[in-house]
Amino acid sequence: MTKPARQRAYYLCRNPRGNLPHTPARRDGVRGRGNGHSFIAGAGASLARLAAEGQVIPAGQMVWGEVKFTAKKIGEIQWASTEVLEDSALDLRRIIADNLLRDASLKFDADAFTGSGANPIKGVVSQGITTALGAGKVTVTYDDLADAVARIEATNGRPSVVWASTDMAAALRKEKATGSGIYQGGQPTDSPATTAWGLPILVSSFLAAKTVVVADASRIVVGVRRNAQVRVSEDARFDSDQVGFKLTMRMAGVSLAEPASVQVVKAAVS
């Protein structure tokens, strides 16, 4: 049996990985235009209808539009003296390049989660649907995650990942069954569970405290204009005998096929 169609659908851009948008790859169907990306999206009722024999097949009701990403550059330069590079017992050139790549990845991760307002890259949290738990519900529980999963399934979605802030990840690990004192996520002396309702739980320090996100990651589109590149210059500071390491990458943002594909659950402050 095939899965029913979503009420809204994106037709050219899908993220095939049920994972977090870390260091994303270029998506097929994302077209470069100027300094940004654009892709065609179809919105509207997408369920086919019955057609009697010999009768005209009903026309669809999709409305076609275009979503545009404007590419933004992420960059960093690191300088090192020739002496430091020559005298190091380690491969310092490789270490510097790896650190620059890590810095750029972390920068985009932060924006991909929580970018909002004036930030040119809008994050999934600001684009999804937020459910605030009532007073006294100071932690997100497995039951709350089950409800978030159900909200995505109600739109024929396929939840594939849970992202948790560090404090809520700890709370989930420590959650105990009522009355028994048994940890829901497994005993501390065993391998603790890293999943919730079959979905991987990934912890991110970029999520605000008391935040858990359940998502259908296939409905998250990540635009990459240019992958990270590290270039080395021996000449920029020739007079001071320094070597420059420059990293740049151009990201065209994050977008959701529909807000309901990302369910943000916020625990109460008190």
Side-chain angles (χ1 to χ4, degrees), residues 45-99:
S46 58
L47 293 177
R49 286 165 285 174
L50 297 174
E53 182 180 353
Q55 299 301 308
V56 175
I57 296 174
Q61 300 178 14
M62 297 179 188
V63 178
W64 295 97
E66 184 176 60
V67 177
K68 294 183 178 180
F69 290 127
T70 300
K72 298 297 179 182
K73 181 159 50 181
I74 296 172
E76 185 178 2
I77 291 180
Q78 179 66 51
W79 298 95
S81 69
T82 300
E83 290 82 0
V84 167
L85 296 174
E86 290 177 346
D87 296 343
S88 175
L90 303 175
D91 184 358
L92 201 55
R93 290 174 179 261
R94 179 187 59 79
I95 292 172
I96 291 173
D98 288 347
N99 285 343

Side-chain angles (χ1 to χ4, degrees), residues 201-268:
I201 300 175
L202 305 178
V203 183
S204 176
S205 61
F206 296 125
L207 286 172
K210 296 186 175 295
T211 303
V212 176
V213 179
V214 180
D216 178 349
S218 70
R219 310 297 287 173
I220 299 174
V221 180
V222 181
V224 181
R225 186 61 164 172
R226 186 177 73 234
N227 286 325
Q229 299 175 342
V230 177
R231 298 184 182 275
V232 180
S233 173
E234 310 274 351
D235 305 321
R237 291 188 178 179
F238 185 78
D239 58 347
S240 58
D241 203 17
Q242 295 186 68
V243 179
F245 298 79
K246 179 186 71 174
L247 176 139
T248 58
M249 63 188 297
R250 296 183 69 208
M251 308 304 298
V254 179
S255 185
L256 307 183
E258 52 278 315
S261 293
V262 171
Q263 295 290 326
V264 183
V265 184
K266 298 280 291 183

Side-chain angles (χ1 to χ4, degrees), residues 70 72 74 107-123 126-127 251 253:
T70 300
K72 298 297 179 182
I74 296 172
K107 167 59 179 170
F108 182 69
D109 271 1
D111 290 345
F113 274 125
T114 59
S116 62
N119 193 318
I121 296 177
K122 300 298 181 286
S126 65
Q127 298 179 66
M251 308 304 298

